[in-house]
Amino acid sequence: MTRALLITNPAAARTDARAVTAVRETLRGGGWDVEVLATLGPRDAYRFAAEARDQKFDVLVCYGGDGTAMQIAAAIVGRGSRSAWCGGHRQPARGNLRLPRNAAKAAARC
């Protein structure tokens, strides 16, 4: 079973609890074990991502804005971690990966 950490930023524009729940449930429906952590302050996403490797997560999933995505990427670059970006309304990573704007549809492609 794939173990995933879903990192979300509730302060990011258009990041709401319903979308986070949809992402989590879509991944769980695909057989993934999903834990959710929400950022509360600066660099929380970086810290969560850096600690995830020691906690044996297989995949990091981001649902937040540009800052959240960049913190996660910075924490895992060169460390062999896998990541997936499923959300954020205007997030460049989501757009560059051609993921749907709908959170559940994007999560289904992870």
Side-chain angles (χ1 to χ4, degrees), residues 7 12 14 19 21 25 38 43 57 65 76 80 96 99 105 108:
I7 300 173
R14 300 184 189 209
T21 300
E25 294 309 311
R43 299 193 48 86
F57 282 97
I76 65 172
N96 291 339
L99 293 172
K105 288 180 182 177

Side-chain angles (χ1 to χ4, degrees), residues 7-20 39 62-66 68 87-91:
I7 300 173
T8 182
N9 179 355
R14 300 184 189 209
T15 302
D16 63 45
R18 290 180 308 228
V20 172
T39 61
C62 174
Y63 192 81
D66 299 343
T68 307
H89 179 69
R90 292 194 173 132
Q91 192 180 78

Side-chain angles (χ1 to χ4, degrees), residues 16-96:
D16 63 45
R18 290 180 308 228
V20 172
T21 300
V23 170
R24 184 191 68 213
E25 294 309 311
T26 299
L27 295 173
R28 285 182 176 167
W32 292 21
D33 177 24
V34 182
E35 183 176 328
V36 179
L37 290 178
T39 61
L40 298 174
R43 299 193 48 86
D44 277 354
Y46 182 94
R47 182 172 50 83
F48 294 159
E51 292 171 353
R53 188 176 67 172
D54 295 334
Q55 296 171 10
K56 307 295 185 208
F57 282 97
D58 300 304
V59 178
L60 301 180
V61 180
C62 174
Y63 192 81
D66 299 343
T68 307
M70 294 307 114
Q71 285 183 39
I72 293 169
I76 65 172
V77 69
R79 296 196 171 107
S81 298
R82 296 185 325 183
S83 63
W85 273 259
C86 289
H89 179 69
R90 292 194 173 132
Q91 192 180 78
R94 183 208 46 82
N96 291 339

